[in-house]
Structures are given as C-alpha cells and as structure tokens.
Amino acid sequence: MKVLSFGSLNLDHVYAVPHIIRPGETISAWGKELYCGGKGLNQSIAAARAGLSVCHAGGIGESEGDELLEILSSNGVDVSLVERRPGPAGHTIIQVDPEGHNSIIVFGGSNQANTDAYIHSVLDRFQAGDYVILQNEINGNAEIIRLAREKGMKVVLNPSPFDESAAALCPDADFLFVNETEAQGLTGTAAPEEQLSALHARFPRAIAVLTLGEHGSRCAEPGGKTYIQEAYLRPAADTTAAGDTFTGYFLALYAETGDIPTALRAAAMASSIAVSRPGAAPSIPRRDEVDAALAAL
C-alpha cells in the first residue's frame, strides 16, 4: 500500500503577537520565524513520521521552495513528483498569541497551479488499494478524487480551509477529518454531541472523525459504531499543525492495525505533543516519542 499526499507546500511566516490583531489595529510582534508548512506538507511529514511510506505531489516556486523539498526528503518523503512552477511558492502569514491560538492568511501561489495533465501524470503512478490524502489548499481536488475513485484508491480528506468547494468533495471521501467549525458547515449544527451523528447520516460510507481540541475527538465508522477519545492536555505553544498531525497519525495507525481506538489514541497523543511546540512541521513528533508517551500513561 502506497500513500500519495497531494497537497500544499507553504513557507510559513509566523509572528508572535500579544493578541490576534483586530480590524484597524496596528500592533508590534514579539518575534518572527520562518517555517516550512502547508497542510499538505504537514500531513506528509506526520504520516511519514508515524511510519507510512509517503510520496508527495504538488508545486513549489521557480526560485523558492528548496527548503520545502529538503524537509520532506529528510523525513523520508518521496519528492520525485513535486513540480517546480513559474511564480512564487505558496506562503502563509500566521499570528500566534500567548495562549497558542492562531490566525492564518494563506496565499496559494504554486499550490494553485495544478493542471489536469500534471494530475493525471501523478495518479498514473498509483493503483487500487493505495491512499490519497487531500486538503483544500490546492486546486484540482475534484479531478484528483475522480481519478482516485476510478482507480480504487482510498480518499482521505480534511476539507480545510472550509468553503462550498470543500463541502462538495466530502461525499467521495473514505476518511473524513473535520473540526467543530467544519462540522458545523457540513451539518448545520453547532452542538458537538449532534455533529458526529449528523456527519454519519450525511456521509455514511466514510470513517468520519470529529476533532474537538481540548475536548478530544469522536469517530463514526460506516456501520454506525461510534468512538470517543479524550485529549491528552499539555500547555499550548502553537496549534498550527495539530489537525494535520492528527490526520497523519490516525491514518498510519489505522492502516497498520485496522483498529479505530488505537488510531485515535495515537493521533490524540501526537497532536497533543505537536501543540506544545512552536511551528508547524517542526512540531510534529516522531513515532517512537508518541509510543513512549502512550506507554507512560
């Protein structure tokens, strides 16, 4: 089984601020860091650090983005399908407050330059039983999913950033990862206790995972059985990659064991470690660290 992470590659400009800026306000940042990120890159690294063999597809800028390839390669991710494209790489501007909450502006850049020809050339390398991990920071998701379904691949989707185009992709997902806000957009209810059942009713063929931050996570499988996982709370430094870490670890442990509770526990522990550290990709823990933390419970 091979894993294709078809996703965004961003240079993250992270500013430490006293609070998330308000309209019309000017504030001073306490610090500034440059990190490699993007939901696609984060998911690739999380899945690879959790033990999966991952190939990344996507685009970088014509004169920037080498560090993105370097961090993927150094984590064992195959970057042979990544394409260098005219124009700038994707990037983000991230504000992080003292409590670890963030606000993010995304500029798509090379992430929004997937052509049908490129998509077809990538999917030609994969077959039935392989997995494709997707989010909504790139263009061409509908065509990627169409081809993946034709091939018999498993579609893993985190519809973030959430909008109508992301919602339209969800019916074809085999694994659907959403937070409380995304679940409200899909189900119309803001009550977490109602969201999971509503997700299952709307997308009955998917393993639906609802992440609730400090309140843990919940999962419904296609037969209707549900699971609840507590959060492993740690002081938060930066929540930027928490959801991507959760997705990568859940998928890896589920592929390895076929057991949802095992996958939920590992994903919860991995994401709790990630939020206790600054940055996106650098905060994602390795498998031995997650295993040791779980064994110490």
Side-chain angles (χ1 to χ4, degrees):
M1 183 268 285
K2 295 188 295 184
V3 176
L4 167 63
S5 179
F6 208 137
S8 54
L9 298 163
N10 286 337
L11 297 170
D12 291 340
H13 301 263
V14 182
Y15 296 85
V17 294
H19 59 265
I20 303 302
I21 195 167
R22 294 182 286 265
E25 184 182 22
T26 299
I27 59 176
S28 296
W30 296 332
K32 194 264 185 183
E33 300 288 345
L34 177 65
Y35 296 107
C36 294
K39 293 187 70 64
L41 180 142
N42 296 338
Q43 289 170 349
S44 288
I45 291 176
R49 288 185 177 178
L52 288 175
S53 176
V54 182
C55 179
H56 192 98
I60 60 174
E62 59 186 343
S63 61
E64 58 181 350
D66 288 344
E67 55 268 75
L68 299 168
L69 298 181
E70 182 178 347
I71 193 171
L72 286 170
S73 296
S74 67
N75 281 280
V77 178
D78 181 350
V79 297
S80 61
L81 297 179
V82 174
E83 185 177 67
R84 192 175 290 278
R85 298 167 177 171
H91 69 260
T92 63
I93 297 174
I94 303 174
Q95 302 175 62
V96 181
D97 72 12
E99 286 73 45
H101 301 300
N102 62 59
S103 178
I104 305 174
I105 298 172
V106 180
F107 173 72
S110 54
N111 294 315
Q112 295 293 322
N114 292 313
T115 64
D116 282 351
Y118 175 69
I119 290 169
H120 283 246
S121 70
V122 169
L123 269 295
D124 281 346
R125 309 286 186 94
F126 297 86
Q127 60 187 5
D130 292 338
Y131 285 64
V132 58
I133 307 176
L134 297 167
Q135 26 58 53
N136 198 38
E137 290 184 347
I138 62 171
N139 71 307
N141 274 325
E143 182 67 3
I144 296 168
I145 290 175
R146 185 186 72 80
L147 290 175
R149 300 287 300 165
E150 283 184 359
K151 287 177 169 287
M153 297 175 69
K154 297 292 186 181
V155 176
V156 182
L157 176 65
N158 172 211
S160 175
F162 185 79
D163 58 20
E164 290 184 6
S165 68
L169 303 172
C170 294
D172 287 317
D174 296 288
F175 295 81
L176 183 62
F177 292 86
V178 294
N179 61 23
E180 189 174 350
T181 301
E182 293 149 4
Q184 182 176 357
L186 288 169
T187 65
T189 177
E193 62 272 13
E194 299 174 3
Q195 288 178 336
L196 187 65
S197 59
L199 286 168
H200 173 66
R202 184 170 178 185
F203 311 110
R205 64 181 303 276
I207 292 177
V209 182
L210 173 64
T211 58
L212 300 168
E214 64 183 17
H215 300 295
S217 57
R218 304 179 183 190
C219 178
E221 59 183 347
K225 187 174 181 179
T226 61
Y227 306 85
I228 296 176
Q229 172 62 47
E230 66 176 340
Y232 301 116
L233 298 178
R234 296 169 183 245
D238 184 352
T239 61
T240 305
D244 303 326
T245 301
F246 191 103
T247 297
Y249 265 85
F250 181 98
L251 181 61
L253 271 293
Y254 183 80
E256 180 180 310
T257 68
D259 184 64
I260 288 177
T262 297
L264 285 172
R265 283 194 296 272
M269 181 58 73
S271 59
S272 77
I273 295 171
V275 301
S276 70
R277 300 168 175 167
S283 73
I284 299 170
R286 296 187 180 276
R287 177 68 178 272
D288 57 353
E289 182 181 5
V290 174
D291 289 344
L294 287 171
L297 292 176

